[in-house]
Amino acid sequence: MKNKVIISCAITGSIHTPSMSPYLPVTPAEIAESALGAAEAGAAIVHLHARDPETGKPVHTPEDFEPFLKVIKQSSDVVVNITTGASPYMPVEYRVKPAETWKPEVASLNMGSMNFGLFPMLERFKEFKFDWEPEMLEASHDLVFRNSFRDIRYALDTLNATGTRYEFECYDTSHLYNLHYFWKAGLVQAPLFIQTCFGLLGGIGAHPEDVMHMKRTADRLFGDNYRWSVLAAGSNQMRVAAMAASMGGHVRVGLEDSLWIGKGQLAETNAAQVAKVRQIIEGLGGEIASPDEARDILQLKGGDKVGF
């Protein structure tokens, strides 16, 4: 398993809006089709959000997830990761509910509060189909994505009993220290799947020194007790993925994190990004992990123990 690289694919997210790309999956059918395409291209894990099928606005009830969860489960053995980040405008009790209901193998968990600046996208995108899109971006001038110690403890108390494990999303060094606290307190178990996140305004940057700083800090705090993965926003996506892959790390791509496949070129599918990062990994001499190999690396409970 030493050279096996887990590719996660974040299918739609809650940051980008439908007016930014005609290729952003919105309806349950589009989300399912895109997730299955990513799995076919080599993603071992698909990270899932839900959207209103009419407006594309982020939504987050268990019922919003049900249609595409069941299609994905029936059609693939890919590992399903349900977000608890949801949208930074939602309270934690609401954000955790779909994962609590459907008991996936993996759920994302943000490890600290942070400013969450989406408003720079207003400089690139000027025309919007729906009023909620520019309103959401503009409101992020005054947005703190709350993930207090109480919030994190609530998510862990709710989800630990389901056997779900976590993709710990760490946007800055302090988030690694927060995770270390919960690990030492016995509330989370190794191996920890740590997703270090780069290039979002409010979190750490995406310079190679930033990547190395997060990796060195995680190594010092967790030793051999974690599995390292990276995601990077926008044009940083493939550069940071290549850097991590060359260092033996795992990678996350997908339209949640970047709408692009190259300079000025929109990605038409999530599968296209998966195929590109797979080419990078294999070009570096690595091999991609299958879903079952990812389950072994991360010690997951298995697809037969989910609630959908």
Side-chain angles (χ1 to χ4, degrees):
M1 292 293 177
K2 192 170 184 180
N3 292 324
K4 297 286 187 177
V5 178
I6 298 169
I7 301 175
S8 297
C9 187
I11 302 302
T12 188
S14 64
I15 292 173
H16 296 118
T17 73
S19 298
M20 296 177 183
S21 172
Y23 308 116
L24 187 70
V26 167
T27 69
E30 290 168 348
I31 292 169
E33 180 182 9
S34 198
L36 292 171
E40 182 67 24
I45 300 174
V46 291
H47 171 92
L48 300 174
H49 289 242
R51 290 180 180 265
D52 182 292
E54 299 297 326
T55 68
K57 189 173 184 178
V59 292
H60 200 70
T61 70
E63 293 73 24
D64 294 319
F65 283 77
E66 184 173 9
F68 55 81
L69 286 179
K70 292 191 172 181
V71 171
I72 294 167
K73 172 69 173 174
Q74 290 164 1
S75 305
S76 174
D77 68 344
V78 70
V79 175
V80 167
N81 174 348
I82 294 179
T83 180
T84 71
S87 166
Y89 294 97
M90 298 174 182
V92 69
E93 293 83 2
Y94 191 73
R95 287 161 36 200
V96 168
K97 197 65 178 178
E100 179 186 5
T101 301
W102 299 117
K103 302 174 177 61
E105 293 183 79
V106 180
S108 67
L109 185 57
N110 295 70
M111 290 310 298
S113 301
M114 59 185 291
N115 292 336
F116 210 79
L118 306 178
F119 55 85
M121 287 190 280
L122 289 166
E123 298 174 8
R124 177 186 288 269
F125 301 99
K126 303 295 186 182
E127 297 182 4
F128 296 94
K129 301 174 186 175
F130 305 102
D131 290 343
W132 73 264
E133 299 175 85
E135 290 171 359
M136 180 194 77
L137 299 174
E138 180 63 33
S140 71
H141 277 97
D142 193 34
L143 174 62
V144 176
F145 186 12
R146 175 184 161 134
N147 294 284
S148 67
F149 287 106
R150 188 201 72 84
D151 294 341
I152 296 168
R153 180 64 186 262
Y154 174 84
L156 293 174
D157 287 345
T158 303
L159 297 179
N160 279 350
T162 71
T164 294
R165 292 180 70 86
Y166 305 96
E167 172 204 14
F168 295 106
E169 296 195 357
C170 296
Y171 288 81
D172 218 332
T173 315
S174 61
H175 296 184
L176 293 171
Y177 280 90
N178 293 348
L179 175 56
H180 185 263
Y181 162 76
F182 284 104
W183 178 51
K184 285 299 184 181
L187 292 167
V188 297
Q189 305 300 320
L192 307 168
F193 184 34
I194 299 180
Q195 190 76 254
T196 50
C197 310
F198 302 94
L200 185 81
L201 185 60
I204 199 167
H207 189 278
E209 287 295 332
D210 295 320
V211 178
M212 290 302 301
H213 175 61
M214 291 290 276
K215 177 65 164 60
R216 285 192 296 264
T217 303
D219 284 346
R220 177 165 46 81
L221 291 175
F222 303 107
D224 294 331
N225 294 291
Y226 83 106
R227 308 293 175 259
W228 180 49
S229 183
V230 301
L231 71 84
S235 62
N236 300 301
Q237 183 183 71
M238 293 297 169
R239 290 197 295 269
V240 172
M243 183 176 177
S246 72
M247 297 166 62
H250 306 289
V251 301
R252 181 175 123 175
V253 295
L255 296 179
E256 171 173 349
D257 304 328
S258 174
L259 296 173
W260 310 95
I261 194 68
K263 188 173 182 179
Q265 182 183 359
L266 289 169
E268 296 189 13
T269 62
N270 278 290
Q273 290 186 353
V274 173
K276 185 169 184 177
V277 81
R278 178 176 184 169
Q279 184 179 31
I280 291 169
I281 292 163
E282 293 176 342
L284 291 168
E287 300 177 64
I288 65 164
S290 69
D292 281 342
E293 287 169 336
R295 290 180 174 101
D296 185 57
I297 293 167
L298 302 177
Q299 296 183 20
L300 304 181
K301 63 183 179 180
D304 58 334
K305 295 181 175 63
V306 299
F308 55 92

